[in-house]
Amino acid sequence: MQEFEGTITMHTMVHDQLTNFFKGFRRDAHPMAIMVAVVGALSAFYHDALDITSKEHRDISAIRLIAKVPTIVAMCHKYSTGLPFMYPQNKLNYVENFMRMMLATPCDDFVPNPVLVRALDRILFFMPIMNKMHQPQPSAWPVPVALIHTFVSRPELPVFGRCPWWCQ
């Protein structure tokens, strides 16, 4: 498991030229549309693993997607809000890194709230399980997605400070 986590951590950075794709979108473009285009553009940078009949190519492509999608999602969020991109840091775990890229700014140190890190870690862990249980009707997705959106998009919630009574 540690080898897998290490492999994911080493692939979180995106090619610097990929950031140029964002400049082609209006600032008010929907972040999901931007994300779809940028994820599609990954094949232009990683054309060494495009043979879908090869298990090795499928494995490295899956690892790259698992590692790079949080970085791309955070970049889409930062672009749509007009804030500078935050690059991943290998010293942080998957969830802490995602929260840092989404919420931090270059002018401040980011210290993630451990309660929210744990909650988001659980949400991300159970999403594939819930998807499998509710396939093909993904009616279980709105709850975790709404929770993530609530914590990321609402500045009045105590993301950095004390945890409210309901999550203690």
Side-chain angles (χ1 to χ4, degrees):
M1 187 65 172
Q2 284 183 336
E3 181 182 341
F4 177 74
E5 289 176 3
T7 304
I8 296 296
T9 300
M10 299 316 287
H11 282 81
T12 55
M13 286 290 292
V14 294
H15 194 284
D16 192 50
Q17 290 294 312
L18 198 67
T19 60
N20 292 335
F21 276 80
F22 290 92
K23 295 174 186 169
F25 290 95
R26 293 171 41 121
R27 289 285 179 176
D28 62 346
H30 196 283
M32 183 61 87
I34 298 171
M35 187 190 80
V36 168
V38 174
V39 169
L42 287 176
S43 64
F45 294 94
Y46 303 103
H47 48 80
D48 60 329
L50 294 178
D51 181 11
I52 61 169
T53 61
S54 167
K55 182 182 178 346
E56 288 178 35
H57 286 205
R58 289 192 310 267
D59 288 347
I60 190 64
S61 294
I63 286 170
R64 285 176 176 159
L65 279 174
I66 292 168
K68 293 179 188 316
V69 164
T71 305
I72 293 169
V73 167
M75 289 176 145
C76 291
H77 170 69
K78 291 290 190 171
Y79 185 77
S80 67
T81 57
L83 297 171
F85 297 143
M86 296 297 295
Y87 292 100
Q89 289 185 348
N90 289 344
K91 67 181 179 181
L92 299 175
N93 72 29
Y94 192 80
V95 173
E96 290 172 337
N97 223 351
F98 179 62
M99 289 179 71
R100 181 186 165 279
M101 290 186 294
M102 289 287 288
L103 303 171
T105 59
C107 55
D108 291 321
D109 290 333
F110 178 75
V111 180
N113 182 325
V115 174
L116 295 179
V117 168
R118 186 167 183 243
L120 186 55
D121 189 43
R122 299 301 184 268
I123 289 168
L124 292 175
F125 175 76
F126 285 111
M127 282 178 83
I129 295 169
M130 290 176 8
N131 184 41
K132 193 69 172 168
M133 290 171 29
H134 294 274
Q135 228 168 15
Q137 179 203 27
S139 60
W141 282 80
V143 173
V145 170
L147 287 172
I148 293 169
H149 185 268
T150 299
F151 284 117
V152 170
S153 66
R154 305 250 328 262
E156 67 271 13
L157 289 178
V159 175
F160 302 104
R162 191 177 64 78
C163 183
W165 63 270
W166 47 265
C167 71
Q168 292 179 351

